Amino acid sequence: MKSTVSDIGLAKTGMLRFYSYYYSISLSIYHKPFLNPVTSCSLRACSTFSYIPDSTESFYDHLLKSCNGLASLKQIHSPLITTNLLLKSLHLGARIIIKYAEVGDPYSARCLFDGINENGYKPCSFIWNTMIRAYANGGHCMETLGLYSRMRRTGISPNNYTYPFVLKACASKVLILQGKAAHGDAFKCGFDLDLHVEAALVDMYAKCGQFGDARKIFDEMAIKDLVCWTAMVTAYEQAEKPEEALILFQKMQKDSLLADLVTIVSVASAISQLGDAKKAGAVHAYSIRHSLIENICVGNSIIAMHAKCGNMDKACLVFDKMDERNVISLNTMLSGYAQNGQASEALMLFESMHDSEVEFNEVTALIMVGVCAYLGSHCLGKKFHDFVTHSKMEIDVNLWNALMDMYAKCGDLETAVDMFNSKQSERDVSSWNVLISGYGMHGHGRQALELFSRMQEEGVEPNHITFTSILSACSHAGLIDEGKKCFANMKKWSVTLEDKHYACMVDMLGRSGFLEEAFDIIKEMPSPPSDAVWGALLLACKIHGNTELGEIAASNLFHLQPNVTGYYILMSNIYAASNKWQEVGMLRQVLRNKGLKKPAAFSVINYGKEFYGFHTGDRENPYWQEVYRKSESLAVELRMAGHVPNLSCALHDVEEEDKEHILKYHSEKLAVAFGIMMIDPGMTIRVTKNLRVCHDCHSALKFISSIYGRKIIVRDTNRFHHFEGGICSCKDYW
């Protein structure tokens, strides 16, 4: 049966009375942060009948305070449209504009703003400032500046509430010209000396890299509040000027201002850049004294600071005492362990947190993939790849590239190539760089050059990392002419020559015996050579026995890096090979005076779920007795196969008859002996060494691969060596 018009009218009248009664009750009892049934009924009544008393403004204020999503916000906004209440309350309109921006809907905020301006309001800066603020806080910088420009054209005068948000937009996008124009406008309007405008100007100029202008405004401020001090400290820290940031922080303390959370985070980051453990302890103590470390952001920054200063014990102490942790806390600890070469600790932490409530993210995966690459553990890397694949984690191009790099660094170049070929449409320049570098590490210089050519044919522009990788590949493969051509072509691609490119060229020329040409390149460098450049020359002098150039390289290295043991050892070996024992004794005395020791050789092999490490002459490994017996039998088998020990690889101050005995127990030989004993014959033996493989071990491993019919892959500090059938992939050039 159809309802008549009068029936509907009566029904509406009855409903209106009902909802009006409950509406009056809801105003007095409403306090919960969600829409209850009474409130929902009231909204439906408003929408249906376009009738609500003007006193509802306070009611909607309550609703907006509790609103936390777009759907509920639109439910609140809807009846206000039908009742035209927004035309009676500019304040309420501004509140809804801000709320739309907060829930991520700037389009609806702008529609409401335009509607208010088109419906009879007398133009005023209040509602314009509200929309400018909404855009700026939402990161919509160009929209902010566009609206500000329109505001000026409309004839509405900006005020001291306008400029901080306009300047914030300029700072976010590093728009210095627009920022200076806004500064000029603020000056003309007389608001440039307002405290909030001054603070915004300091922040804008600093973030745009104009530190002179930022500091000038800051120094001339009559009153400096904490926001201004923090803005300037943060600006110096983000510009990687940690000393200036800390000087300013000290001045701030002299002005009796206590740091807040943002200040301490910036100061901790500045100390991280310096790597100053003493200052790190002082800031840690400050954050405890003023109860700032209880904040999770501060706690995370203190962990990162200690990690960057090389003090993982203190970082771990802060982590363990945190009442609340998030994925950033975990990632900071994992990253700290990885940066400090404590891969095992990173693995243990990851395992312990696996069943916790902390959810891993893509950053966690990137760190752990890097840990697997550092260890060179193919087995562990494969397991972690499977974990990432079966999780809900998105494998973006960055993580994909990291996995490729991990396989290449774990000796599985074939899988890295397969992964590269499977992502043709999603590859970026880093994908090409990873594989070019992988080919170089494994001694496949020709394949690296072919890939470099393909990269250009497909329209991918090489960057500075590409050229580092290709030059390194040419160096490892002895491709001198090709390397020179690539080096010359860097200008064609507008790639700036960096120190690392010169180091690659010096290494390439030096390894091939062109020491004078390598030295000429150093002399022609536009800036002073770094230790990487001189180190490449010193290594080449060691290979080719050039004492004269070696002394020049060593002299520069001792000045640049006076506490790096390896450079003294290299020069000592050069002197020893030339029978200059007096000079050898002098260098060893320098090492003793400085308290420096030669780094112990250490080789790691993965067996089952465990990693087994071997030092040269190791007697701590639980299998050392069995491994020693196997090493001794290997020495006999090597002799029978025609291997002659290279006694120059033993210590120079050891008697001749002892040298051969010592060579049996070099760390890589012990690890390979363990692998032959424990790993099935059909499986590859993979060893990672912390130092360069010596000539005697290199020769011995070629023989062992032939005697036992085993494939042995050794990764040292320079490259990979694939031993198979009595041949090494490096062709004895490393």
Side-chain angles (χ1 to χ4, degrees):
M1 183 176 68
K2 294 182 179 180
S3 300
T4 64
V5 174
S6 58
D7 290 333
I8 295 172
L10 288 170
K12 284 185 176 181
T13 304
M15 289 174 67
L16 177 57
R17 289 181 184 140
F18 175 79
Y19 287 132
S20 297
Y21 169 72
Y22 274 100
Y23 167 69
S24 63
I25 296 175
S26 69
L27 282 177
S28 61
I29 66 171
Y30 181 82
H31 66 281
K32 296 183 179 179
F34 54 81
L35 294 174
N36 59 30
V38 174
T39 308
S40 298
C41 290
S42 300
L43 292 177
R44 286 197 296 274
C46 297
S47 178
T48 306
F49 301 109
S50 302
Y51 173 76
I52 296 180
D54 289 347
S55 60
T56 55
E57 181 176 333
S58 60
F59 169 62
Y60 279 100
D61 267 343
H62 281 294
L63 289 181
L64 289 170
K65 286 178 182 177
S66 64
C67 173
N68 58 6
L70 182 59
S72 58
L73 177 58
K74 288 193 172 183
Q75 189 180 9
I76 296 169
H77 185 194
S78 179
L80 294 174
I81 298 172
T82 58
T83 58
N84 290 327
L85 182 62
L86 292 179
L87 293 179
K88 302 175 185 179
S89 174
L90 194 61
H91 165 77
L92 193 53
R95 289 286 310 280
I96 295 177
I97 287 172
I98 292 170
K99 206 69 181 175
Y100 269 122
E102 288 176 353
V103 298
D105 188 359
Y107 175 77
S108 294
R110 183 58 184 266
C111 288
L112 176 54
F113 168 80
D114 290 339
I116 291 173
N117 280 293
E118 292 168 3
N119 282 282
Y121 265 117
K122 181 181 179 181
C124 69
S125 60
F126 171 70
I127 197 70
W128 286 81
N129 287 344
T130 301
M131 192 63 225
I132 286 173
R133 169 189 172 187
Y135 271 146
N137 286 343
H140 306 285
C141 305
M142 302 314 295
E143 290 85 350
T144 304
L145 297 177
L147 192 61
Y148 168 69
S149 179
R150 182 181 161 195
M151 179 183 187
R152 300 276 295 174
R153 291 196 306 271
T154 307
I156 298 171
S157 300
N159 56 28
N160 57 325
Y161 294 103
T162 313
Y163 289 108
F165 294 107
V166 173
L167 293 166
K168 178 180 180 180
C170 296
S172 298
K173 292 291 184 182
V174 196
L175 302 171
I176 185 61
L177 294 178
Q178 292 87 335
K180 286 186 174 182
H183 185 185
D185 291 344
F187 177 78
K188 292 173 187 176
C189 296
F191 294 117
D192 59 312
L193 297 181
D194 178 86
L195 176 63
H196 299 294
V197 176
E198 285 182 314
L201 284 167
V202 169
D203 182 63
M204 184 275 294
Y205 278 118
K207 286 181 178 175
C208 291
Q210 307 291 312
F211 295 102
D213 291 330
R215 190 59 186 265
K216 185 174 184 295
I217 294 169
F218 177 81
D219 290 339
E220 291 176 355
M221 290 176 69
I223 301 173
K224 299 182 183 74
D225 65 1
L226 181 60
V227 174
C228 296
W229 282 99
T230 300
M232 203 67 220
V233 170
T234 302
Y236 278 129
E237 174 267 316
Q238 292 179 346
E240 297 185 356
K241 295 187 175 183
E243 293 89 352
E244 288 88 340
L246 295 179
I247 290 170
L248 212 57
F249 178 59
Q250 290 172 345
K251 289 182 178 179
M252 172 184 153
Q253 290 177 286
K254 288 179 181 178
D255 276 13
S256 302
L257 276 173
L258 288 176
D260 65 0
L261 306 177
V262 180
T263 319
I264 284 297
V265 168
S266 295
V267 170
S269 180
I271 291 172
S272 297
Q273 293 174 33
L274 289 173
D276 191 323
K278 186 176 180 180
K279 286 185 172 66
V283 170
H284 186 176
Y286 185 97
S287 65
I288 294 173
R289 190 163 58 250
H290 297 288
S291 302
L292 296 171
I293 201 167
E294 297 168 6
N295 178 272
I296 192 169
C297 294
V298 174
N300 291 341
S301 65
I302 295 295
I303 291 171
M305 175 185 68
H306 283 309
K308 289 285 179 65
C309 293
N311 197 332
M312 285 307 299
D313 289 339
K314 287 189 177 179
C316 189
L317 186 65
V318 176
F319 181 79
D320 290 341
K321 287 188 175 181
M322 292 177 79
D323 295 326
E324 179 189 359
R325 298 174 188 151
N326 58 16
V327 68
I328 298 174
S329 315
L330 173 62
N331 290 345
T332 304
M333 279 297 296
L334 291 174
S335 178
Y337 280 132
Q339 291 165 3
N340 286 282
Q342 296 175 261
S344 299
E345 287 80 356
L347 289 171
M348 287 190 288
L349 177 60
F350 180 82
E351 287 291 332
S352 68
M353 298 295 287
H354 189 272
D355 298 324
S356 69
E357 295 180 0
V358 176
E359 292 187 7
F360 305 132
N361 61 15
E362 289 76 11
V363 177
T364 319
L366 281 169
I367 295 168
M368 294 309 298
V369 168
V371 168
C372 296
Y374 172 82
L375 287 171
S377 170
H378 182 267
C379 177
L380 187 64
K382 181 71 170 63
K383 286 181 180 178
F384 196 82
H385 188 181
D386 292 340
F387 168 78
V388 171
T389 303
H390 290 103
S391 69
K392 296 179 181 179
M393 206 177 296
E394 179 185 357
I395 302 181
D396 62 8
V397 67
N398 293 322
L399 183 52
W400 190 261
N401 291 339
L403 286 164
M404 278 174 51
D405 185 59
M406 179 270 294
Y407 279 114
K409 288 179 177 175
C410 290
D412 188 355
L413 189 59
E414 294 81 6
T415 298
V417 172
D418 290 342
M419 289 181 69
F420 177 84
N421 291 332
S422 70
K423 289 282 185 180
Q424 292 186 25
S425 61
E426 300 173 39
R427 295 190 295 235
D428 61 6
V429 65
S430 296
S431 310
W432 295 85
N433 292 345
V434 165
L435 197 55
I436 289 171
S437 175
Y439 277 132
M441 283 188 293
H442 289 268
H444 304 303
R446 293 292 177 189
Q447 288 92 323
L449 286 167
E450 288 170 9
L451 191 64
F452 182 56
S453 297
R454 270 182 59 196
M455 176 185 186
Q456 296 168 69
E457 289 168 4
E458 294 190 21
V460 181
E461 187 171 334
N463 58 19
H464 65 104
I465 297 173
T466 315
F467 281 100
T468 303
S469 300
I470 196 66
L471 290 173
S472 179
C474 291
S475 176
H476 286 309
L479 302 173
I480 308 302
D481 293 336
E482 293 84 349
K484 288 181 178 179
K485 184 178 178 181
C486 290
F487 187 72
N489 282 341
M490 289 180 67
K491 293 181 181 178
K492 167 188 168 184
W493 292 101
S494 301
V495 176
T496 304
L497 282 167
E498 298 179 11
D499 196 82
K500 56 189 176 182
H501 301 124
Y502 285 103
C504 287
M505 285 299 293
V506 170
D507 184 66
M508 180 178 68
L509 293 167
R511 284 177 187 274
S512 299
F514 299 102
L515 294 172
E516 292 297 336
E517 190 174 347
F519 189 43
D520 288 340
I521 282 184
I522 294 176
K523 290 187 286 187
E524 292 169 6
M525 286 179 65
S527 58
S530 70
D531 59 311
V533 175
W534 288 116
L537 182 63
L538 183 62
L539 179 59
C541 292
K542 161 69 170 61
I543 294 170
H544 297 286
N546 190 316
T547 306
E548 184 180 350
L549 274 182
E551 288 178 331
I552 295 172
S555 175
N556 283 280
L557 286 165
F558 297 159
H559 174 71
L560 291 169
Q561 296 287 348
N563 295 318
V564 175
T565 310
Y567 298 140
Y568 293 95
I569 299 298
L570 267 178
M571 193 63 226
S572 175
N573 289 339
I574 293 172
Y575 281 137
S578 302
N579 294 317
K580 294 188 174 183
W581 300 110
Q582 184 176 352
E583 287 81 354
V584 170
M586 290 172 60
L587 282 179
R588 291 187 178 180
Q589 185 60 48
V590 170
L591 287 174
R592 284 192 290 270
N593 293 341
K594 288 178 172 286
L596 302 176
K597 293 182 179 180
K598 179 181 178 180
F602 188 66
S603 295
V604 177
I605 186 170
N606 185 204
Y607 171 62
K609 294 183 179 180
E610 302 292 333
F611 289 92
Y612 294 89
F614 293 90
H615 291 283
T616 295
D618 194 357
R619 291 179 181 268
E620 296 178 4
N621 190 285
Y623 293 94
W624 75 270
Q625 290 179 318
E626 296 96 318
V627 171
Y628 268 43
R629 283 195 291 270
K630 184 63 181 175
S631 295
E632 287 163 3
S633 69
L634 275 175
V636 174
E637 291 175 278
L638 287 169
R639 278 282 193 185
M640 292 174 64
H643 170 66
V644 178
N646 187 337
L647 300 182
S648 67
C649 296
L651 295 172
H652 293 290
D653 53 356
V654 175
E655 297 295 331
E656 290 293 316
E657 58 267 22
D658 294 328
K659 289 184 178 182
E660 186 172 348
H661 178 76
I662 291 171
L663 288 175
K664 295 178 189 176
Y665 308 119
H666 274 194
S667 65
E668 56 266 58
K669 285 179 183 168
L670 296 177
V672 169
F674 177 83
I676 292 171
M677 290 167 49
M678 310 298 280
I679 298 174
D680 292 340
M683 297 180 67
T684 300
I685 297 172
R686 301 174 188 271
V687 175
T688 301
K689 187 182 179 184
N690 67 329
L691 301 175
R692 187 170 180 264
V693 173
C694 77
H695 285 277
D696 181 69
C697 288
H698 191 270
S699 174
L701 293 177
K702 288 195 295 183
F703 276 96
I704 292 171
S705 70
S706 177
I707 293 168
Y708 285 88
R710 302 294 296 262
K711 183 173 183 179
I712 303 168
I713 300 177
V714 178
R715 187 184 85 178
D716 68 5
T717 52
N718 290 333
R719 59 179 301 158
F720 277 91
H721 300 268
H722 295 250
F723 300 96
E724 192 170 14
I727 300 171
C728 180
S729 59
C730 75
K731 299 179 177 60
D732 298 337
Y733 186 87
W734 84 100

